[in-house]
Amino acid sequence: MKSLKGKTILILGGTAPCVHVTRFAKEMGAYVYVADEKTEKGPAKQLADEAVVISTNDYETLLAFIKEKHIDGVLTGPGEFNIVNAMTVSKMAGLPFYCTKEQWDICQDKRHFKDFCKQYGLPGVPEYSVNDVLTENDFPVIVKPVDGCSSRGISICRNQEEYAKAKEAALAASKAGKILVEKYVENGGVTIDAKYVVVDGRFHLEAIGDRHVLNGGLITAISFYPSKYRKAFLEQVDPYVEKAFTSIGLKNGAFFFQAIPDGDKIYIYEMGLRVSGGMIYNMTEATSGNNTLKMLIHYGATGIMCEKQDEEMIDASFKGKEASTMAFPLKTGKIASYSGFDVVTKYPGVIDLTRYYNAGDEIIPKHVNTLDQLFARIMVSAPDKSSLMKRLKAIRDEVSVINDKGEEMIIWDTFDALYNEFNKDNK
């Protein structure tokens, strides 16, 4: 990818979600400003060439700054609020941005997206009208706000009492005041994560993995790439992708699907017109060689995603390698200490470790079943599945988070079950 030397970039948001976009933009040679309304310097602001105190939705002040500093591109991290802000101010300034507000709204609103899937043959999860009277035979169902994120307001219901409470919770989490009710597929807690990158109208599946949820919950405990459902996905979903997204004029950018396998069928239940918060771009760079976030940075500054050789690196099979993202979900309680996390960053194959909490922080009931329950995430690659599982087990044995009662807080149930199953199948 060509250097961005001589280019000037404005990044909206000074907190942790914008650290990678700030770091990469600087590594690519750009001069980087980071703006938000806070006078104190968050982690992204600390990396910037210059930190700026402007609210990220103060469009007129941002526009004046863009003109004064001759900004070439406006970017942000995976946070939806600032994506809309960056999209809006880029349009006002006549600068490149990978998607429009109209495209964003179709993909972001779960109701709009389900209708979009039906129109173009993308397989969606069977659903119920919120006005339907459900019988006992209809359960379990999953209830969610049409415009929610980070698993907030989402509930699995197995009876009428749970269903009534779930509708209230979903409505409370929805700015639009609308909810969806879908069939809940019971398959042992496996979902599919599929990442796409679009270069000049060419649609590439760049990564597809299997996500295993925390036992009895909604958040991902561990994921494995490539997915064992890759062939089925390529048969049932991929053939409809280009036609669907070309119809709304998407020519460059990145998006992801979240899907669920139900026997021999695959249903899409959600998407995001952005890179995901899981930082899979680090995984693809370590395995295949391509980094979608760097492509989006290049596009924001130049209007061009990448060079031909960058596009040719994209390979959803990871060139034969295996990879995983393992999360560290916690029980409720106050964190007294943690250990081993600095040690495991030096283990073979470790690509990235991101920690979200410190000693003294507390996991409270409202964090359960949301991303706020996670202490950290680690990303690991290996030449094959056996080597990968050994590396993950070594990490599992090294790290620890202790509460103020001296008890372990990390919930290992999902990983331990998968590890034992793998060993049983590979004796």
Side-chain angles (χ1 to χ4, degrees):
M1 202 172 300
K2 288 183 178 178
S3 168
L4 294 180
K5 187 175 181 180
K7 297 291 183 180
T8 305
I9 288 174
L10 172 63
I11 293 172
L12 303 186
T15 56
C18 289
V19 163
H20 277 145
V21 68
T22 305
R23 179 181 296 137
F24 290 163
K26 288 190 66 178
E27 288 174 357
M28 294 166 74
Y31 190 89
V32 179
Y33 296 94
V34 174
D36 62 20
E37 74 282 2
K38 298 174 183 176
T39 54
E40 66 272 21
K41 289 187 177 182
K45 274 190 167 180
Q46 292 176 33
L47 288 175
D49 290 299
E50 290 188 44
V52 183
V53 181
I54 304 174
S55 174
T56 60
N57 63 353
D58 182 352
Y59 300 145
E60 294 301 329
T61 304
L62 288 170
L63 185 61
F65 183 83
I66 288 166
K67 291 179 179 178
E68 177 191 350
K69 300 297 183 179
H70 304 288
I71 300 294
D72 295 296
V74 181
L75 303 167
T76 188
E80 293 160 3
F81 175 74
N82 277 333
I83 289 175
V84 173
N85 291 335
M87 181 191 312
T88 302
V89 77
S90 292
K91 183 177 180 180
M92 292 171 66
L95 297 175
F97 200 82
Y98 69 91
C99 71
T100 66
K101 186 64 164 58
E102 293 74 22
Q103 293 165 344
W104 176 262
D105 287 343
I106 288 170
C107 300
Q108 187 65 18
D109 183 283
K110 293 178 176 64
R111 174 74 271 155
H112 291 166
F113 178 61
K114 285 191 75 72
D115 294 339
F116 177 70
C117 287
K118 289 177 185 176
Q119 183 177 358
Y120 289 98
L122 292 162
V125 180
E127 67 176 312
Y128 302 91
S129 167
V130 72
N131 296 318
D132 288 344
V133 177
L134 301 188
T135 69
E136 295 306 314
N137 292 331
D138 294 322
F139 292 104
V141 298
I142 186 165
V143 182
K144 60 183 78 170
V146 298
D147 50 357
C149 61
S150 300
S151 299
R152 293 182 178 87
I154 299 177
S155 305
I156 300 165
C157 317
R158 301 185 183 279
N159 55 52
Q160 297 288 358
E161 184 180 357
E162 291 178 356
Y163 181 49
K165 292 179 181 177
K167 287 193 288 186
E168 291 181 7
L171 282 169
S174 171
K175 292 180 181 178
K178 297 178 181 179
I179 65 175
L180 284 178
V181 183
E182 297 175 334
K183 172 185 178 181
Y184 179 66
V185 177
E186 297 194 276
N187 65 2
V190 181
T191 60
I192 298 168
D193 177 43
K195 314 288 189 189
Y196 277 84
V197 59
V198 193
V199 182
D200 293 336
R202 296 180 292 275
F203 290 74
H204 303 280
L205 178 66
E206 66 164 348
I208 179 167
D210 299 329
R211 307 189 312 170
H212 298 264
V213 299
L214 181 65
N215 289 348
L218 293 167
I219 57 173
T220 302
I222 190 165
S223 59
F224 295 99
Y225 295 78
S227 168
K228 67 179 181 180
Y229 300 100
R230 180 169 170 257
K231 183 175 183 291
F233 187 93
L234 289 171
E235 292 171 351
Q236 297 179 37
V237 179
D238 190 70
Y240 304 98
V241 170
E242 182 172 340
K243 183 178 179 181
F245 288 92
T246 298
S247 76
I248 62 172
L250 189 68
K251 294 182 179 179
N252 292 284
F255 60 89
F256 62 87
F257 291 130
Q258 293 176 352
I260 190 162
D262 184 14
D264 60 355
K265 295 182 179 179
I266 291 176
Y267 299 125
I268 298 170
Y269 65 87
E270 195 167 316
M271 79 159 292
L273 187 52
R274 56 179 174 84
V275 294
S276 68
M279 300 176 287
I280 299 300
Y281 45 80
N282 285 331
M283 183 183 289
T284 57
E285 186 166 35
T287 54
S288 306
N290 68 291
N291 184 315
T292 299
L293 182 55
K294 290 181 179 178
M295 290 181 178
L296 292 178
I297 293 168
H298 197 272
Y299 185 82
T302 67
I304 299 169
M305 283 286 283
C306 61
E307 296 178 79
K308 185 177 180 181
Q309 58 264 38
D310 301 307
E311 186 179 1
E312 289 174 346
M313 289 181 184
I314 299 167
D315 180 6
S317 69
F318 283 6
K319 295 181 167 51
K321 298 174 185 175
E322 299 271 344
S324 174
T325 295
M326 182 161 67
F328 303 97
L330 301 185
K331 301 171 185 176
T332 56
K334 190 171 185 178
I335 299 168
S337 64
Y338 58 90
S339 61
F341 291 90
D342 289 340
V343 175
V344 298
T345 60
K346 301 177 177 63
Y347 281 13
V350 171
I351 300 166
D352 181 80
L353 187 145
T354 302
R355 180 168 52 82
Y356 307 110
Y357 289 106
N358 294 302
D361 292 335
E362 189 171 3
I363 305 299
I364 58 178
K366 76 173 185 177
H367 293 154
V368 175
N369 279 334
T370 75
L371 297 181
D372 292 333
Q373 190 178 357
L374 303 183
F375 179 79
R377 277 193 183 117
I378 194 166
M379 190 176 291
V380 185
S381 68
D384 53 61
K385 188 63 173 285
S386 180
S387 300
L388 180 64
M389 295 303 287
K390 289 177 182 176
R391 290 176 180 182
L392 293 172
K393 180 62 164 60
I395 292 166
R396 185 252 189 269
D397 293 342
E398 181 69 46
V399 300
S400 179
V401 179
I402 302 298
N403 67 16
D404 54 3
K405 298 176 183 178
E407 302 164 333
E408 180 61 58
M409 295 182 72
I410 302 177
I411 304 170
W412 290 114
D413 300 17
T414 302
F415 174 76
D416 288 348
L418 290 168
Y419 182 76
N420 291 335
E421 181 182 348
F422 178 81
N423 280 344
K424 180 180 177 182
D425 293 341
N426 291 272
K427 282 186 176 179

